[in-house]
Every structure is written in C-alpha cells, then in structure tokens.
Amino acid sequence: MGNFLAGKVVAVTGAGRGIGRAVALACAAEGAEVVVNDYGVSVDGAEPHSEIAETVVKEITAAGGEAVAVADDISTMDGGQRVVDTALSRYGRLDGAVCVAGILRERMLFNMSEEEWDPVVATHLKGTFTVFRAASAVMRRQRGGTLIGFTSGNHQGSVSQANYAAAKGGIISLVRSAALGLHKYGVTANAVAPVARTRMSAGVPMELAEIGEPEDVAPLVVYLLSERARQEGITGQVYTVAGPKIAVWAQPRELRAAYGEGPWTPERLADFLPGTVGQDPMPMLARLTEMAEAAARQDRPNA
Ligand SMILES: NC(=O)c1ccc[n+]([C@@H]2O[C@H](COP(=O)([O-])OP(=O)(O)OC[C@H]3O[C@@H](n4cnc5c(N)ncnc54)[C@H](O)[C@@H]3O)[C@@H](O)[C@H]2O)c1
C-alpha cells in the first residue's frame, strides 16, 4: 500500500464497477478511507438491484484497506447527502468527492424522448451537483478539500448522445464554478475526461483512436486528490487520460473579436462577420465521415 492519500477520506460515486471501482481501489491502496457509492444499475440506468458497492468494499478490506458502502441513487438530493453524511459519521471528515456515476441512453436528437433525456442529465449533471453541494459545505467548514467531476471528450458534441454530451458540458461548467466559488476556502475542483474499456464504452461505436483501462485513469484521480496537486494549485482544469496519454483541455475564451460601427443589423452582420470574426472550425465535424464508417463496421472497444 502507498501513502499518497494517508489520512484522507474520499467518497467515490459509481464505484461499484468500471472506472469508479478502479478509483476507489486505488484511493484505498494509497491510504484513504473510502465511501464506495453505487446504485447498481444497468448501463441505461434501469433495474437497481445488485450489491456491487458492498462487493468493492469487501475487495478493499480484503486488501487491508478501509471502506464503507452506500447503495443510494446520487441523482437525488438525499442520495448525494447520504454519501457525504456517511463519510462524516464513519470517518469524521471528507477530503475528496469524486463523481463517476453515469448512464447512457443513446438516440438521435430528433427521436430522443423525455425518458431518454431526463435520467441521463439527472445522473451525470444533477448527480455531480448533489454530491458537490453536500461535500462543498463540509469542505468549506474544513477549509480544504478536492472535488472531481467526470466529463467526456463528448462534451464537444456527439452524433447520437445529445443528452450525455449536454450533461458532460454542464459538468465542466459546474466544476469551473466550484473552482471559482470555493477557491478562498482552499477547495480545488477539477474534471477528468477518461477513455477506458468498460461496459459503457463497449456499447458505443468506436469513435476513439486511443483507449486505456480503468486502472490507467485511477492514478490521475489519486494525484488530483493529493497534497502534491493541491500544492501546485491545480484547479478548474479538465484532463483527459487514455492509457499512456495525459492531456489538458483549453479554457473557453473568446477567440477573435471585431467591432462594428453603429448598431448591428442582420445585413451588416452578413457582410461583416464571415470575413472578420468568422468561425472556429469544429474538430468533431471534420471526423463525421470517419465516425460513420466506424459505426457501420460495428467497431467496438473490447470491454
Ligand atoms: N469508459 C469511457 O471510456 C468513458 C469515456 C468518457 C467518460 N466516461 C465517464 O466515466 C464515468 C464512469 O464510466 P464507466 O465507463 O466506468 O461506466 P460503468 O457503466 O462501468 O460504471 C458506471 C457506474 O455508475 C453507477 N451508477 C449509475 N447511475 C447511478 C446513480 N444514479 N447513483 C449511483 N451510481 C450510479 C452504475 O451502477 C455503474 O456501476 C461516467 O461518468 C462516464 O460517463 C467514461
């Protein structure tokens, strides 16, 4: 066992399988006491039934670590609060909250139903809010802590996952808001956009040139939770990790500005805009053909 997180208490949502499980195991192996949350649902968020959070707790304790299970639904305020309250009642504090839980309901936008939109946004975006909300109140009192949200490269846009992409974009803005709002209390907030072989990525057409394992993602999360990252002042960042690759995403900012004379009219914009501020080409748009061909070939990462 390492000691990168010795003395810290970390809560991980969606920690029953996939990336969340790898993160929970790695945190415990580095000395953290871990709250393992998972609602135990199918990939589309239905049929909660399993005891997978408890199974991961058993794995951690068998390896000599310390953990407690919470099998709640983090898309509810009560569920998010219970994750944080369990850290406090069992371990007396909370140093890290890592929101990994997620589901997928794929559909083209023009066919997407409310039942496909709402649960996806509720699990990812609200499910990050419920835990961040409860955790940040504790961390503000403690004058320290680390919040980590899970986003995706798909925040750039996705052909058949408008619900998922919208939620993942929202998580980045939520993380940046937390970084700003909690800075003076010594709380950092960052986002991770992983690419890893799990049941979730297995069902998605192969749009991914680079992919790794859940165990490749966990060290980045451990590092971001550690004093080493906190001393560097790392906050408000989005990192991608895909196997051996690690990358930082740009901060959103205005790319080009131009000023007109007098009030804009549609006609004046039609004459002025294309040749001045113009467009910022969309990288995903350039990959549409490649992605359609991969989907037609039924390319899937092997989970
Ligand atoms: N695997 C990838 O390549 C990839 C790429 C980009 C982003 N992500 C993101 O990483 C995260 C983990 O994905 P994964 O691939 O490990 O998926 P996964 O399906 O293997 O695991 C997700 C876990 O979240 C749990 N969960 C779902 N809804 C929940 C709820 N309401 N409350 C508590 N737990 C809930 C599930 O039971 C499951 O165990 C997700 O947020 C996903 O969007 C993954």
Side-chain angles (χ1 to χ4, degrees):
M1 294 232 304
N3 64 356
F4 231 71
L5 301 178
K8 289 192 184 287
V9 178
V10 177
V12 186
T13 74
R17 64 166 73 78
I19 296 167
R21 172 180 168 274
V23 167
L25 292 173
C27 288
E30 290 292 341
E33 295 169 313
V34 183
V35 178
V36 175
N37 160 258
D38 205 295
Y39 195 35
V41 289
S42 56
V43 79
D44 69 356
E47 298 161 16
H49 58 77
S50 69
E51 302 295 320
I52 58 173
E54 196 54 61
T55 305
V56 173
V57 167
K58 284 184 184 138
E59 280 186 80
I60 289 173
T61 48
E66 172 58 41
V68 60
V70 177
D72 284 48
D73 174 1
I74 47 74
S75 70
T76 67
M77 293 304 281
D78 285 351
Q81 188 68 51
R82 201 133 42 227
V83 169
V84 172
D85 287 349
T86 303
L88 297 183
S89 61
R90 184 75 172 240
Y91 303 123
R93 55 185 292 117
L94 181 65
D95 302 287
V98 188
C99 296
V100 192
I103 62 168
L104 270 187
R105 293 189 184 186
E106 285 195 273
R107 192 76 62 199
M108 295 302 286
L109 179 58
F110 41 80
N111 287 326
M112 188 172 285
S113 67
E114 196 175 3
E115 289 69 35
E116 286 160 343
W117 174 272
D118 282 350
V120 170
V121 174
T123 306
H124 291 274
L125 183 53
K126 187 174 174 190
T128 304
F129 164 69
T130 66
V131 175
F132 276 19
R133 162 70 182 84
S136 61
V138 174
M139 292 173 180
R140 175 172 174 250
R141 283 198 299 275
Q142 286 177 179
R143 291 292 192 269
T146 305
L147 303 169
I148 299 180
F150 264 67
T151 183
S152 160
N154 276 4
H155 77 268
Q156 298 172 95
S158 171
V159 171
S160 59
Q161 302 168 331
N163 47 1
Y164 181 80
K168 291 308 201 187
I171 286 171
I172 293 178
S173 296
L174 172 57
V175 160
R176 291 204 170 110
S177 301
L180 287 174
L182 296 160
H183 185 69
K184 71 174 174 182
Y185 303 109
V187 178
T188 60
N190 293 289
V192 174
V195 191
R197 276 187 200 86
T198 65
R199 68 171 188 173
M200 189 185 281
S201 58
V204 175
M206 189 66 187
E207 303 171 1
L208 313 162
E210 295 167 304
I211 190 162
E213 304 301 326
E215 289 71 25
D216 297 320
V217 180
L220 171 66
V221 176
V222 169
Y223 169 66
L224 291 173
L225 290 167
S226 76
E227 286 311 307
R228 292 282 293 276
R230 294 174 46 75
Q231 281 157 12
E232 292 288 333
I234 295 178
T235 196
Q237 303 302 307
V238 182
Y239 292 107
T240 275
V241 58
K245 172 180 156 180
I246 178 95
V248 65
W249 289 78
Q251 297 287 339
R253 49 172 70 88
E254 288 179 358
L255 181 63
R256 268 186 301 278
Y259 295 86
E261 286 166 20
W264 293 113
T265 64
E267 288 80 9
R268 291 176 74 172
L269 282 167
D271 291 339
F272 188 83
L273 184 145
T276 54
V277 293
Q279 300 191 53
D280 184 15
M282 192 180 176
M284 297 294 277
L285 207 52
R287 293 186 52 206
L288 275 179
T289 308
E290 176 198 332
M291 292 191 293
E293 285 170 2
R297 285 195 307 272
Q298 297 274 302
D299 281 1
R300 297 280 194 277
N302 303 317

